[in-house]
Amino acid sequence: PAIALSLALGALFGLLLSRTRRVEGPVADLDRALARGEFSPYFQPIFDLKTRQIKGCEILVRWLRADGSVVPPMNFIPLAESSGRIQGMTWQLLGRALADLQPHLKADKEFKLSLNVVPKHLLSAGFIETLRSTVGAAKVSTRQIVIEVTERDELDDLVRAAAVVSELRDHGFRVAIDDVGVGHSGLSRLKALGANTIKIDKFFVDTIAVDASTTTIVEMLVALARDLSMSVIAEGIETEEQVRALISCGVEEGQGYLVAAPLPVKEFVELLERRKSA
Ligand code: C2E
Ligand code: CA
Ligand code: CA
Ligand code: CA
């Protein structure tokens, strides 16, 4: 009986431990971070490759923990997605980004603000309604908002995705297909989605100045984009050589460390101010 009792106690402790572990686990960390507002928008400028004028920016999330550490998105986005926390995180992030940049968005009606949205969120019920009310509450025009949908994950329900893209565009939003060339982006899928913009992944930009076959691929993507009346943004630009190579392929806009890394709002606004007075 002593053995049975200790086994039962052991099982009870095990159960309690697993319960606490669940509460203390990584998903609980995400919930706490959400409750404390630890997810912050950083902003990376998107610029005209020829004039270097800043046309807009991409919101890139950073988890600023209480201990001062900064967690990069790849370390928590997958869990946020699988645990259903990505929706709340994305809305919180957009709300903060709109508040941060509202003066600038009002002063420059051409300035575009891009938000990354995972396919699962894009296709979830109420996405467009919440987007409209969040943007409306900030009194920002839908024309200034770009929804970036990554092609890394499969947008399996292409028909439904295309319908959402079309409805977004009806409301004035713009849509960009992210990471083109590295994911499941069949060329026919690009056409079927009906987005405004394609974003060429850093993977191609890395070798464009040194590899002729990369140049051919980028030229092909630009030709396709033109055919479909889509614009092209190249990401991950680090050198002037890459800018020259991209311009000769017909790419018009880009982003990358050459101009700026993703910046906290204060530094980003300072960059915009410096550019304005220059
Ligand atoms: P992405 O959307 O393709 O974003 C571009 C990534 O390239 C960013 O990494 C950016 O910091 C980085 N990058 C930009 N220019 C350069 C450059 O010149 N050199 C180098 N080495 N890197 C550059 P980050 O911020 O770590 O984000 C990684 C990915 O995490 C993003 O890739 C995106 O897929 C995801 N992500 C970031 N923020 C969010 C978010 O708010 N929501 C969602 N759903 N995903 C996000
Ligand atoms: Ca993106
Ligand atoms: Ca991208
Ligand atoms: Ca990318």
Side-chain angles (χ1 to χ4, degrees):
I3 293 181
L5 185 66
S6 70
L7 277 178
L9 277 177
L12 190 66
F13 268 110
L15 190 74
L16 282 175
L17 206 68
S18 72
R19 279 268 172 88
T20 13
R21 226 179 259 140
R22 211 172 301 147
V23 177
E24 294 302 323
V27 176
D29 277 356
L30 286 183
D31 285 336
R32 223 174 350 251
L34 269 171
R36 293 176 179 162
E38 290 180 350
F39 296 110
S40 283
Y42 273 42
F43 303 96
Q44 186 177 37
I46 296 175
F47 59 96
D48 182 302
L49 294 181
K50 285 185 182 149
T51 67
R52 302 295 159 100
Q53 199 196 348
I54 297 175
K55 312 290 271 184
C57 65
E58 176 175 2
I59 305 168
L60 292 155
V61 68
R62 295 292 181 266
W63 181 357
L64 307 183
R65 304 199 68 150
D67 64 4
S69 59
V70 181
V71 188
M74 276 331 197
N75 294 6
F76 61 88
I77 294 279
L79 180 66
E81 201 175 341
S82 64
S83 64
R85 295 336 191 245
I86 191 83
Q87 279 89 340
M89 194 209 75
T90 304
W91 295 132
Q92 203 175 81
L93 194 71
L94 177 63
R96 287 191 53 182
L98 286 167
D100 283 348
L101 293 189
Q102 201 197 35
H104 188 75
L105 286 161
K106 283 203 170 150
D108 180 358
K109 294 285 186 209
E110 296 302 310
F111 190 91
K112 306 277 190 300
L113 179 67
S114 292
L115 175 74
N116 289 287
V117 173
V118 300
K120 189 175 146 194
H121 186 188
L122 182 89
L123 297 177
S124 65
F127 173 75
I128 292 183
E129 288 72 18
T130 309
L131 179 65
R132 288 180 68 200
S133 63
T134 308
V135 171
K139 299 199 162 53
V140 168
S141 163
T142 58
R143 307 198 173 276
Q144 292 181 270
I145 305 297
V146 183
I147 301 301
E148 293 193 8
V149 192
T150 184
E151 265 282 290
R152 268 186 320 240
D153 306 283
E154 214 165 348
L155 273 177
D156 28 302
D157 196 342
L158 191 59
V159 175
R160 217 150 62 81
V164 176
V165 168
S166 156
E167 199 185 334
L168 281 168
R169 293 186 59 170
D170 286 345
H171 287 299
F173 296 103
R174 300 176 61 86
V175 180
I177 307 299
D178 212 349
D179 300 320
V180 163
V182 295
H184 296 77
S185 47
L187 299 183
S188 57
R189 298 167 59 82
L190 278 186
K191 179 181 155 87
L193 272 174
N196 303 84
T197 302
I198 63 176
K199 296 193 77 170
I200 295 182
D201 193 73
K202 175 175 187 301
F203 176 79
F204 297 105
V205 175
D206 279 343
T207 55
I208 193 162
V210 289
D211 179 3
S213 68
T214 304
T215 308
T216 308
I217 294 170
V218 173
E219 280 171 349
M220 189 200 69
L221 288 171
V222 170
L224 178 77
R226 287 220 175 107
D227 254 24
L228 301 173
S229 309
M230 293 168 86
S231 63
V232 180
I233 298 176
E235 63 183 26
I237 303 172
E238 295 180 350
T239 70
E240 292 293 345
E241 250 186 314
Q242 290 167 346
V243 172
R244 279 194 294 276
L246 288 163
I247 288 175
S248 59
C249 288
V251 178
E252 285 167 347
E253 291 184 5
Q255 60 191 102
Y257 293 175
L258 178 68
V259 165
L263 300 170
V265 60
K266 187 166 170 289
E267 288 164 49
F268 181 68
V269 170
E270 280 165 9
L271 174 72
L272 293 176
E273 295 298 324
R274 267 203 309 282
R275 289 302 187 92
K276 228 186 291 170
S277 55

